[in-house]
Amino acid sequence: MTAQDVADLAGVSRNAVSRAFNGGYRLRASTVERIMDAADQLGWRPNMAARAIKGSPAHAIGFILKREPDLLGADPFFPLFLAGLERVLSEQAYALTIRFVSDETEEELCYRDWRAERTVDAFIVADLRDDDPRFGLLDEIGASAIVIGDPPGEVELPAVFHDSDESIRDAIDGWIARGHTRIGHVMGDPALEHARRRRNIWAGVLERHGLRSDLLAVGGFTELGAEDATREILAVAEPPTAVFYANDVMAAAGMRTIAEAGLRVGEQVAVFGFDGIPLAPYLAPPLATIACDYVELGEIAGRMLLAGLEAETVAPVQRTLPARFVQRASYGIDPQR
């Protein structure tokens, strides 16, 4: 007998059977009773109960992403981060289980089910959001995790992230020292903490110098979004002479859009991006960028998480990695006056 046999007899899904044996979360009492009756008739009990008694590890790490799968390949962060993470996990015979979800309800159910069924031993939490519900959920279900990003101060979980704030400030200050007074920003998804952080640093530098900080458009970390955002800020009465893009993919698309508008990148409009993609020096002109080593980030995250699982406790240690500004031709010359 299997859980699917129980589900068929009770007229429910297999996931409902799982939840019924783990507290009945989001199930009606009558549904739980029907599932239990079906299990009794078939003489079935979940294997996960035996696993829970034994405390057997799953030797797997869970990574739940609330984003479209198609966007994964376009984001320079994830392929490199996953390469570093897999290098460490595979050495210790751990698997990485990735699940894409469409909304927070599905996301929460996945966390609960994976934890209840012991599908994974710990989670990776990325793409931090405002008032992120995942931190309270992880605490409630008693799950280990590591955060990729700078979590709120009250969150007692280990974290690793790049400290890029000063590099961004230095690059924008450098533009201002060269005489730029109209500096734009094409930001990523406003729902994500790291996109807002880069926007806030850009705005903070401009305001410190008494410059306008309204040359802003949302590109959403995609090429098409960056093209539309670049056209938007170039169309204003006094367009920017320099643009900071929140990632290199958007910067590359923006450079093409600037060229299509009849402007020379690095001469009439200066540009720098963020990530340090391998193709950056091969663009025309070569792209200036805030370079981050995402392979190293993945390796360190994997080591921190596995060390915590081995010690049966994951200390809330935060580790920051350096980012560096790489100046190339797109950063430009002094603006024409």
Side-chain angles (χ1 to χ4, degrees), residues 94-274:
Y94 269 78
L96 179 65
T97 303
I98 300 177
R99 169 79 178 271
F100 291 93
V101 296
S102 58
D103 55 41
E104 290 188 0
T105 298
E106 185 182 0
E107 179 181 63
E108 179 180 345
L109 287 174
C110 190
Y111 272 99
R112 290 184 181 276
D113 284 349
W114 281 7
R115 175 59 177 166
E117 297 172 0
R118 294 185 178 271
T119 302
V120 299
D121 300 315
F123 293 94
I124 296 168
V125 180
D127 286 349
L128 304 189
R129 313 189 285 264
D130 272 341
D131 299 320
D132 203 313
R134 292 174 292 179
F135 295 129
L137 175 61
L138 288 166
D139 185 59
E140 178 187 339
I141 64 178
S144 297
I146 189 165
V147 180
I148 310 303
D150 189 3
E154 69 275 9
V155 173
E156 296 186 353
L157 288 172
V160 59
F161 55 94
H162 283 96
D163 184 1
S164 59
D165 296 6
E166 284 306 311
S167 295
I168 297 173
R169 291 190 186 100
D170 289 345
I172 297 173
D173 276 331
W175 269 343
I176 295 171
R178 292 177 176 219
H180 290 276
T181 59
R182 300 190 306 279
I183 299 174
H185 179 47
V186 174
M187 74 175 296
D189 184 347
L192 300 179
E193 188 274 338
H194 60 275
R196 296 193 305 276
R197 185 173 189 138
R198 292 167 202 173
R199 176 203 61 195
N200 292 342
I201 294 170
W202 161 81
V205 173
L206 298 184
E207 290 164 6
R208 172 162 51 84
H209 288 275
L211 301 176
R212 58 188 291 189
S213 59
D214 60 338
L215 293 170
L216 174 69
V218 176
F221 291 127
T222 68
E223 297 99 320
L224 292 178
E227 290 176 359
D228 291 340
T230 302
R231 294 188 189 100
E232 179 183 336
I233 61 174
L234 290 180
V236 302
E238 293 183 293
T241 60
V243 183
F244 163 42
Y245 287 84
N247 79 357
D248 287 348
V249 169
M250 292 198 299
M255 287 168 60
R256 182 181 61 196
T257 305
I258 291 168
E260 289 172 352
L263 300 169
R264 294 187 300 277
V265 175
E267 296 182 33
Q268 293 169 292
V269 182
V271 167
F272 81 87
F274 190 104

